[in-house]
Amino acid sequence: MNKKEVYKKTENEFLFGKKNYMIMLVGLIVIALGFILMAGGGSDDPTVFNEEIYNFQRIRLAPTLVLIGLAIEVYAILANPNK
């Protein structure tokens, strides 16, 4: 096989399969949801302390969703596209 044949063979192939890209999309959605849940909770008046920034959603749930999303992304990269 010469170089042109090898180039033609691999020219139209994606790095991952459709399954991998779908799993990556799910992971990105979970990560985005985590960051959306982390947002907000600020106060309009900087001299007033707002207890809302220390609720369960922002301290526990949102970072956990981000970590789960990252784990899904790692799985999507390592998953075999042929199965």
Side-chain angles (χ1 to χ4, degrees):
M1 243 198 269
N2 61 20
K3 288 183 182 181
K4 288 184 181 181
E5 290 174 1
V6 172
Y7 179 72
K8 284 182 181 180
K9 184 177 180 181
T10 60
E11 182 178 351
N12 295 327
E13 293 180 16
F14 287 109
L15 184 60
F16 299 112
K18 183 177 179 180
K19 172 186 163 186
N20 297 82
Y21 287 116
M22 293 303 289
I23 297 171
M24 283 183 195
L25 181 64
V26 170
L28 286 175
I29 291 170
V30 171
I31 291 171
L33 180 63
F35 278 110
I36 289 169
L37 290 176
M38 241 187 276
S43 177
D44 295 332
D45 186 9
T47 60
V48 177
F49 181 73
N50 189 354
E51 282 287 330
E52 189 179 328
I53 62 172
Y54 293 118
N55 64 6
F56 172 79
Q57 173 185 322
R58 289 187 179 86
I59 298 297
R60 302 272 191 239
L61 181 63
T64 303
L65 282 177
V66 171
L67 290 175
I68 289 171
L70 290 172
I72 292 171
E73 292 294 325
V74 169
Y75 175 75
I77 292 170
L78 297 177
N80 187 354
N82 298 327
K83 286 188 177 183

